[in-house]
Amino acid sequence: MIKKESRNVSRKIRHERVRKNIFGTKEMPRLNVFRSNSQIYAQIINDETGTTLASSSSVQLKIKNGGNIEGAKLVGADIAEKAKEANISKVVFDRG
């Protein structure tokens, strides 16, 4: 019988495969986006120091159904505004 890995294990394997090629620096930090069925989360991360420079989520913005397109637009606008405040103009996109 074939054993199928769980979705979370598969997601972690995909994440590791992408992350070995993407690295965020001070000049160009990494934008990490995670979407669950009900929420969406975004972080801007400096991997050199291991710090989060800016973050936003549909939970933080108190969006009722944050997992849809409208929730993603609001989270994207919020993370862009926070990035401008932190003087961040370029990021490396981590599709996670």
Side-chain angles (χ1 to χ4, degrees), residues 6-20 94-96:
S6 71
R7 296 174 111 187
N8 198 35
V9 170
S10 299
R11 181 186 65 81
K12 287 180 180 180
I13 291 170
R14 265 193 320 273
H15 184 71
E16 288 175 10
R17 187 172 57 235
V18 169
R19 284 281 292 121
K20 70 180 175 185
D94 177 8
R95 62 189 174 96

Side-chain angles (χ1 to χ4, degrees), residues 72-85:
K73 287 179 184 178
L74 293 172
V75 171
D78 188 50
I79 195 78
E81 188 177 306
K82 289 179 179 179
K84 281 184 182 178
E85 289 174 6

Side-chain angles (χ1 to χ4, degrees), residues 23-80:
F23 190 79
T25 63
K26 184 179 178 185
E27 295 79 30
M28 192 177 286
R30 176 171 55 99
L31 171 63
N32 183 15
V33 177
F34 174 75
R35 180 188 169 272
S36 70
N37 287 334
S38 59
Q39 306 296 337
I40 189 162
Y41 306 87
Q43 289 183 321
I44 297 177
I45 304 164
N46 179 355
D47 287 319
E48 291 175 336
T49 59
T51 57
T52 299
L53 306 174
S55 67
S56 181
S57 69
S58 55
V59 176
Q60 183 181 12
L61 298 175
K62 296 185 174 130
I63 300 169
K64 187 173 183 180
N65 188 5
N68 60 10
I69 295 171
E70 295 302 317
K73 287 179 184 178
L74 293 172
V75 171
D78 188 50
I79 195 78

